[in-house]
């Protein structure tokens, strides 16, 4: 039977079947998804707007927000979006999925910018900077926002700047100086001391730094310094965007407190961490509002958010609403890592990663420079720095240098990778997997977990020739079929990735573990700060084998060595943040598999997230 692929295109989920005119053309070209078109059409019906240029602007704004951006610059929309669409089309074509009948994005009827802005400004769908709430879109100059994100962005900027300019909380300065001298005695800890001092003296502090720079140690010692102040012990909240990160933060802070003088640790007392959502509390009937808000503030004196790079604009707005005006707010994170999967790049905007000019928050940002994970001058540290700074040729030179711990396996973007091309990867995963299974069968829980963290294969994509699904199957094949499956399809020695949160079991999306033999009973073992956590297989939440995982899920983790399956140069996930995040998961070894072009394109392409927050925070804002 002959199938008309062009005719089938109308039934593809990304196609809006009833889209006509300009929206239909942009949808057919792959610039707009069906959801973008449907939202624009709905806004047009509700607002009585039929101007196709206005509806196109609305759809493109929805498209950008769905991709993580908050604002659309109409004047530069074509020159920004066309290359993205062409790259995406080329990527799909390389995978054999392109629609040959799709229009060329560059040949679409893009409106002339000045006329486009004028038509949008005259539309009932658009309000201005100071217009009251009501219109679904906001247009300021040539920039367009969805009204919800415009309001959140303006509120977040105002709330942060208010904290930055407010008088700090009262402190006993002599006692604080004494405590800081005691807690940060080494000269090389000067950056950590500066961060702790800022947090003690201000209502807002940002502690930025790469992996292993001592952010958690700084937090623990700060808590000891605050607990040493006169008066009752401060009420402290530790929170992160994800349950996995919360568990790791709690373990890390407790471990850091254990290294302090017992008197300091005792003053701090027990610490616990939660997700930001759990800290704010649920409100029945809504998923976007919380029990704690501007009418019902959090009771804490100190609120510390870790992994802030993953906090979206919406969630940051909710936090700022809920924190008491007199409480310290401390934001901790690495602005160079992957941002939230939702809209916004708040930490990058605060630190000043986007836009030109100094931020008015600069005096409240302390960046930790010295790495405690790997030697400052070591190859991984130099590779990470070169990626972070966009020095593509240096990145390639380092990967090809043959230095211990660095390896580049060069493969073309448009070929399936044969086993003999990745012999080093296969040797690593087989060695680690064999040792892990042997330890698991022997009941050596610690040994099995150690082997699990010896090497991790990271992918940017879930699907496709460089994706998690395909490489999970290939690695499983290299390791050989298990000799005995249980009825639930689990087997001793199987590495597991948790894919759903389970608060009762204290397991969270992204946790990894191993099925081990415990006196004849298979159990799932997970690493925690103290003794490993053992969970009966019947009580596990949703899990899958973790022979490979996405770079995004690896955030907050550390492995002895990693292999990155770099996406093709045309992939939208081939970004500087993807490469940097993957590299900095490793303590001793990094292998990158991909093309030279993919490396250079990744290093030279920061993940583009348009935002007006940085502009509002600049000194001239």
């Amino acid at each position: 039977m002959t199938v008309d692929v062009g005719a089938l295109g109308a039934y593809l989920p990304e196609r809006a079947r009833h889209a006509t005119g300009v929206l239909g053309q942009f949808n057919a070209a792959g610039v707009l998804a069906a959801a973008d078109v449907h939202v624009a059409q709905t806004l047009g019906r509700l607002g009585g707007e039929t101007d196709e240029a206005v509806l196109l602007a609305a759809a493109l704004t929805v498209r950008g927000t769905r991709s993580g951006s908050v604002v659309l610059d109409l004047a530069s929309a074509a020159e920004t979006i066309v290359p993205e669409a062409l790259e995406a089309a080329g990527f799909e074509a390389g995978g054999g999925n392109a629609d040959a009948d799709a229009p060329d994005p560059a040949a679409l009827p893009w409106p002339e910018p000045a006329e486009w802005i004028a038509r949008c400004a005259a539309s009932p769908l658009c309000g201005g900077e100071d217009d009251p709430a009501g219109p679904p879109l906001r247009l300021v100059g040539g920039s367009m926002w969805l009204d919800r994100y415009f309001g959140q962005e303006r509120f977040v900027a105002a709330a942060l700047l208010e904290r930055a300019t407010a008088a700090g909380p009262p402190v006993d300065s002599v006692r604080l100086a004494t405590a800081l001298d005691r807690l940060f005695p080494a000269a090389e800890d000067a950056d950590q001391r500066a961060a702790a001092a800022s947090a003690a003296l201000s209502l807002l502090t940002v502690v930025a730094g790469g992996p292993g720079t001592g952010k958690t140690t700084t937090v623990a010692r700060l808590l000891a310094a605050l607990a040493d102040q006169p008066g009752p012990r401060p009420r402290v909240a530790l929170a992160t965007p994800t349950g996995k990160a919360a568990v790791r933060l709690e373990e890390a802070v407790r471990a850091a407190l254990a290294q302090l003088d017992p008197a300091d640790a005792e003053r701090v007392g027990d610490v616990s961490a939660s997700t930001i959502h759990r800290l704010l509390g649920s409100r029945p009937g809504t998923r976007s509002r919380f029990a704690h808000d501007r009418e019902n503030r959090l009771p804490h004196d100190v609120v510390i958010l870790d992994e802030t790079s993953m906090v979206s604009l919406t969630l940051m707005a909710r936090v700022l609403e809920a924190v008491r005006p007199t409480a310290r707010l401390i934001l901790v994170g690495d602005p160079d890592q992957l941002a939230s999967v939702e809209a916004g790049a708040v930490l990058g905007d605060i630190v000043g990663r986007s836009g030109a000019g100094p931020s008015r928050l600069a005096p409240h940002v302390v960046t930790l420079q010295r790495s405690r994970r790997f030697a400052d001058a070591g190859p991984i540290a130099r590779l990470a720095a070169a990626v972070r700074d966009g020095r593509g040729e240096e990145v390639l030179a380092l990967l090809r240098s043959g230095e211990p711990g660095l390896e580049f396996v060069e493969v073309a973007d448009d070929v399936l990778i044969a086993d003999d091309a990745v012999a080093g990867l296969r040797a690593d995963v087989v060695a680690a997997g064999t040792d892990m299974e042997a330890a698991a069968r022997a009941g050596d829980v610690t040994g099995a977990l150690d082997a699990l963290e010896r090497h991790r294969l990271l992918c940017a994509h879930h699907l496709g020739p460089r994706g998690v699904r395909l490489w999970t199957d290939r690695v499983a094949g290299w390791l050989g079929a298990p000799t005995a499956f249980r009825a639930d399809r689990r087997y001793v020695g199987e590495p597991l990735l948790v894919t759903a949160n389970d608060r009762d079991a204290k397991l969270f999306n992204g946790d990894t573990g191993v099925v081990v033999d415990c006196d004849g009973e298979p159990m799932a073992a997970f690493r925690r700060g103290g003794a490993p956590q053992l969970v009966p297989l019947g009580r596990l939440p949703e899990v899958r084998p973790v022979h490979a995982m996405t770079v995004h899920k690896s955030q907050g983790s550390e492995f002895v060595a990693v292999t990155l399956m770099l996406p093709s140069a045309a992939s939208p996930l081939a970004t500087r943040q993807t490469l940097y995040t993957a590299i900095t998961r490793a303590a001793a070894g990094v292998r990158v598999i991909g093309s030279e072009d993919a490396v250079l394109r990744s290093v030279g392409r920061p993940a583009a997230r348009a935002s007006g927050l940085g502009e509002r925070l600049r000194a001239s804002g």
Side-chain angles (χ1 to χ4, degrees), residues 363-388:
H364 297 266
V365 177
V366 181
T367 301
L368 305 182
Q369 301 284 358
R370 179 174 174 269
S371 174
R372 279 86 174 168
R373 176 176 294 180
F374 30 68
D376 286 341
I380 296 178
R382 286 187 279 116
L383 179 65
V387 171
R388 183 193 62 215

Side-chain angles (χ1 to χ4, degrees), residues 344-437:
V346 177
L347 184 61
D349 287 333
I350 292 173
V351 174
R353 287 290 188 266
S354 61
S359 167
R360 285 179 279 176
L361 299 183
H364 297 266
V365 177
V366 181
T367 301
L368 305 182
Q369 301 284 358
R370 179 174 174 269
S371 174
R372 279 86 174 168
R373 176 176 294 180
F374 30 68
D376 286 341
I380 296 178
R382 286 187 279 116
L383 179 65
V387 171
R388 183 193 62 215
D389 297 339
R391 304 192 301 267
E393 293 295 340
E394 183 178 339
V395 170
L396 271 177
L398 281 167
L399 287 173
R400 290 168 166 162
S401 67
E403 289 198 51
L406 298 182
E407 181 183 352
F408 181 40
V409 179
E410 190 166 358
V411 294
D413 282 340
D414 57 352
V415 300
L416 291 175
I417 302 174
D419 283 1
D420 58 3
V422 287
L425 167 63
R426 180 170 184 170
D428 283 349
V429 299
V430 168
T434 301
D435 290 348
M436 180 175 61
E437 182 173 357

Side-chain angles (χ1 to χ4, degrees), residues 194-442:
S198 174
L201 296 169
S202 307
L203 292 177
L204 174 69
T205 300
V206 180
V207 182
T213 52
K215 298 187 294 292
T216 305
T217 299
T218 302
V219 167
R221 295 179 184 179
L222 164 66
L223 295 180
L226 294 178
D228 191 50
Q229 285 288 299
R233 178 190 299 166
R235 294 165 292 182
V236 176
L238 298 173
T240 69
T242 68
K244 181 183 81 167
V247 170
R248 293 182 182 277
L249 174 62
E250 183 177 311
E251 294 169 354
V253 171
R254 287 180 175 177
L257 289 172
Q259 302 300 315
L260 300 182
D261 182 277
D264 281 314
E266 185 177 352
R267 273 191 288 269
V268 174
D270 192 26
V271 296
S272 62
S274 73
T275 63
I276 297 173
H277 287 77
R278 193 169 188 182
L279 173 67
L280 296 177
S282 61
R283 178 186 287 185
T286 177
R287 300 177 65 181
S288 60
R289 305 300 300 186
F290 298 93
H292 289 288
D293 55 19
R294 68 187 68 194
E295 303 298 330
N296 179 30
R297 306 276 190 169
L298 290 164
H300 304 91
D301 305 300
V302 182
V303 176
I304 300 173
L305 304 188
D306 195 17
E307 298 288 357
T308 311
S309 65
M310 301 190 328
V311 176
S312 67
L313 177 66
T314 298
L315 192 54
M316 182 59 73
R318 300 294 176 256
V319 169
L320 289 167
E321 286 177 344
V323 176
R324 291 189 298 115
T326 56
R328 294 176 175 89
L329 177 62
I330 302 160
L331 308 178
V332 183
D334 184 351
D336 297 304
Q337 286 194 31
L338 289 167
S340 165
V341 295
E342 299 177 31
V346 177
L347 184 61
D349 287 333
I350 292 173
V351 174
R353 287 290 188 266
S354 61
S359 167
R360 285 179 279 176
L361 299 183
H364 297 266
V365 177
V366 181
T367 301
L368 305 182
Q369 301 284 358
R370 179 174 174 269
S371 174
R372 279 86 174 168
R373 176 176 294 180
F374 30 68
D376 286 341
I380 296 178
R382 286 187 279 116
L383 179 65
V387 171
R388 183 193 62 215
D389 297 339
R391 304 192 301 267
E393 293 295 340
E394 183 178 339
V395 170
L396 271 177
L398 281 167
L399 287 173
R400 290 168 166 162
S401 67
E403 289 198 51
L406 298 182
E407 181 183 352
F408 181 40
V409 179
E410 190 166 358
V411 294
D413 282 340
D414 57 352
V415 300
L416 291 175
I417 302 174
D419 283 1
D420 58 3
V422 287
L425 167 63
R426 180 170 184 170
D428 283 349
V429 299
V430 168
T434 301
D435 290 348
M436 180 175 61
E437 182 173 357
R441 292 189 176 281

